[in-house]
Amino acid sequence: MVTNRQLFLQHVAQTSISPLMIEIERASGIYMYGPDGRKYMDLISGISVSNVGHSHPQVVQAVQAQAEKYMHLMVYGEFVEAPQTAFAKALTEILPSSLNSVYFTNSGTEATEGAMKLAKRLTGRTQFIHFRNSYHGSTQGALSVMGDEYFKRAFRPLLPDILQLEYGDVDGLSQISSQTAAVIIDPVQAESGVTIASMEYFQKLRQECTDNGALLILDEAQTAFGRCGSMFAFELYGIVPDILLLAKAFGGGMPLGAFIADRKIMHTLTDQPVLGHITTFGGHPVSCAAGLAALRVIQEDELIAGVEAKGKLFEALLIHPQIKSIRRKGLMIAVEFNNEEQNKRIINHCIEQGLLTDWFLFAPHCMRIGPPLIITDGEINEACKIILESIDLS
């Protein structure tokens, strides 16, 4: 009999030569379960997706209820669909007043593409500034502003007029000019292994964009919805972006992204040409229902209130001579080891012991820790014990 693992390798397009090959039958809370009953503690939340845990009952109920009413009806933007309008209203109620118009997409990279088109359309400029070790998706526009040449070189030529700066370097911000359409940046740079810039840096960035008429695009695909200890990470820096990108935890486990701006900016996509940005499935009603339910769980269960203390507990417990450093913002954590090989051995030991963790795209020597926000202190203790034991075994 052909197994699911064999079918996976034969018929599902592969993204690497060594996929994890873990087969999951069901998931609940912070745990995933294989068909053999094996249990895995999820320490990475599907890469910052499952902030409220897997299969949260309120999210599941919202999905089921909406699926019974209707699913896809018409291409995005033509029909008034209650899940979209309700979620957009809920978002704008917790965002600054200038972020009042939501364009729903299917994913984070599509949000990046839409935001880049919007910036070009509004400003009439073509230059985009991004940062070394940045990641904003894998489609061609988003790939153009990825900050690592290894992942880009096979797909060139990409967009022209792209300028790369060093993340956190205040002096480099002087290169923002009257030619710049937009600057796209992470409020916390995840894939470099949780790199954090200062409040002064972000305030200077905001000022330079304003002074030069460039739009500031903040990519919060990984950092929003409590991950960094606030609903949105930009709140920690006392700034407001011109365009906000959301994805990952945004859909509560369903595929959903968005770019959000002032309606006066967003309106430029409606004319000359009409349908300046379109999508068939963006803002799918079931995904919007799930995303709204997940947002309500974060709010009603006050999940953000415990994020910083849980992050500090990880930091306090993960003490070992082989750990070079720990970088953290809320429950986005990078544990640095000597090299990539050591880190991957430790990760493999953790998985063998039922603890799922991973590495970072541009920092393979760092272990990624980003569990669902619902993780308990007892579960943190258990996870750290397994990590420390795995370090000793490596």
Side-chain angles (χ1 to χ4, degrees):
M1 180 179 177
V2 180
T3 67
N4 279 335
R5 291 166 63 89
Q6 290 171 318
L7 292 171
F8 171 79
L9 292 172
Q10 290 173 6
H11 302 296
V12 177
Q14 302 297 301
T15 58
S16 78
I17 59 173
S18 55
L20 287 173
M21 295 290 290
I22 298 172
E23 186 175 353
I24 299 299
E25 186 176 69
R26 62 185 179 89
S28 178
I30 71 162
Y31 296 100
M32 300 180 292
Y33 301 85
D36 58 357
R38 189 171 184 193
K39 178 179 174 182
Y40 300 89
M41 183 189 292
D42 183 3
L43 217 58
I44 53 176
S45 305
I47 313 298
S48 299
V49 170
S50 306
N51 282 17
V52 300
H54 295 282
S55 302
H56 192 286
Q58 287 174 238
V59 176
V60 171
Q61 183 180 25
V63 167
Q64 291 172 336
Q66 181 56 45
E68 289 177 352
K69 293 176 182 176
Y70 60 83
M71 291 183 277
H72 177 73
L73 299 177
M74 180 58 170
V75 294
Y76 179 75
E78 296 296 330
F79 283 10
V80 179
E81 299 182 13
Q84 289 177 359
T85 57
F87 198 13
K89 180 176 183 291
L91 286 167
T92 57
E93 286 175 346
I94 59 173
L95 284 167
S97 60
S98 60
L99 296 173
N100 52 51
S101 182
V102 182
Y103 192 113
F104 289 107
T105 66
N106 300 283
S107 65
T109 193
E110 291 176 63
T112 299
E113 297 286 347
M116 292 177 74
K117 286 176 65 179
L118 178 58
K120 290 173 72 174
R121 178 69 180 84
L122 181 74
T123 65
R125 306 172 184 177
T126 58
Q127 184 190 67
F128 286 90
I129 292 177
H130 72 113
F131 298 85
R132 189 169 68 87
N133 289 335
S134 59
Y135 179 80
H136 305 290
S138 291
T139 49
Q140 292 205 51
L143 190 62
S144 300
V145 291
M146 180 190 285
D148 186 279
E149 185 60 28
Y150 168 78
F151 290 96
K152 296 166 71 168
R153 66 171 67 105
F155 304 103
R156 290 193 179 278
L158 297 168
L159 287 179
D161 210 4
I162 302 294
L163 177 61
Q164 179 174 289
L165 302 180
E166 290 292 322
Y167 187 87
D169 176 23
V170 173
D171 293 338
L173 298 178
S174 63
Q175 296 188 65
I176 301 170
S177 73
S178 60
Q179 303 303 308
T180 307
V183 178
I184 182 168
I185 190 169
D186 307 286
V188 176
Q189 201 176 61
E191 296 305 323
S192 62
V194 188
T195 303
I196 303 165
S198 67
M199 177 180 289
E200 291 73 21
Y201 175 78
F202 276 101
Q203 292 183 344
K204 174 68 171 175
L205 170 62
R206 174 65 276 180
Q207 190 60 53
E208 288 289 341
C209 287
T210 300
D211 291 347
N212 287 281
L215 299 183
L216 176 58
I217 303 172
L218 282 187
D219 185 347
E220 293 234 25
Q222 291 202 47
T223 55
F225 301 104
R227 175 60 53 192
C228 293
S230 59
M231 184 64 77
F232 304 102
F234 72 78
E235 297 169 327
L236 302 171
Y237 300 113
I239 62 168
V240 177
D242 298 297
I243 307 176
L244 176 66
L245 308 186
L246 298 176
K248 293 189 178 288
F250 182 47
M254 294 290 286
L256 191 64
F259 57 104
I260 305 175
D262 190 281
R263 64 177 59 87
K264 291 179 289 187
I265 296 175
M266 197 73 81
H267 191 69
T268 60
L269 293 176
T270 67
D271 191 29
Q272 296 182 345
V274 67
L275 304 177
H277 194 66
I278 54 177
T279 172
T280 298
F281 292 111
H284 193 282
V286 178
S287 294
C288 286
L292 178 56
L295 174 62
R296 295 302 187 218
V297 170
I298 291 170
Q299 293 173 317
E300 293 165 6
D301 293 356
E302 300 182 343
L303 294 183
I304 297 174
V307 166
E308 183 61 19
K310 291 174 181 179
K312 285 181 177 178
L313 181 57
F314 270 108
E315 204 168 357
L317 293 172
L318 289 176
I319 298 174
H320 194 285
Q322 291 298 314
I323 295 177
K324 293 185 65 178
S325 71
I326 295 178
R327 295 187 294 277
R328 182 183 68 81
K329 197 73 168 178
L331 276 172
M332 179 182 281
I333 305 168
V335 181
E336 182 182 8
F337 295 104
N338 291 305
N339 52 57
E340 176 181 355
E341 291 72 25
Q342 181 190 25
N343 185 38
K344 289 190 174 180
R345 286 197 304 271
I346 295 167
I347 289 170
N348 289 338
H349 280 301
C350 287
I351 293 172
E352 289 170 5
Q353 298 304 310
L355 181 70
L356 182 66
T357 182
D358 203 357
W359 45 280
F360 292 90
L361 199 58
F362 309 131
H365 63 298
C366 294
M367 176 186 288
R368 182 193 300 267
I369 297 177
L373 309 186
I374 61 171
I375 192 170
T376 66
D377 289 356
E379 289 162 340
I380 293 173
N381 275 275
E382 181 184 350
C384 291
K385 180 181 178 182
I386 292 172
I387 293 170
L388 295 173
E389 289 174 350
S390 297
I391 295 173
D392 289 333
L393 290 171
S394 69

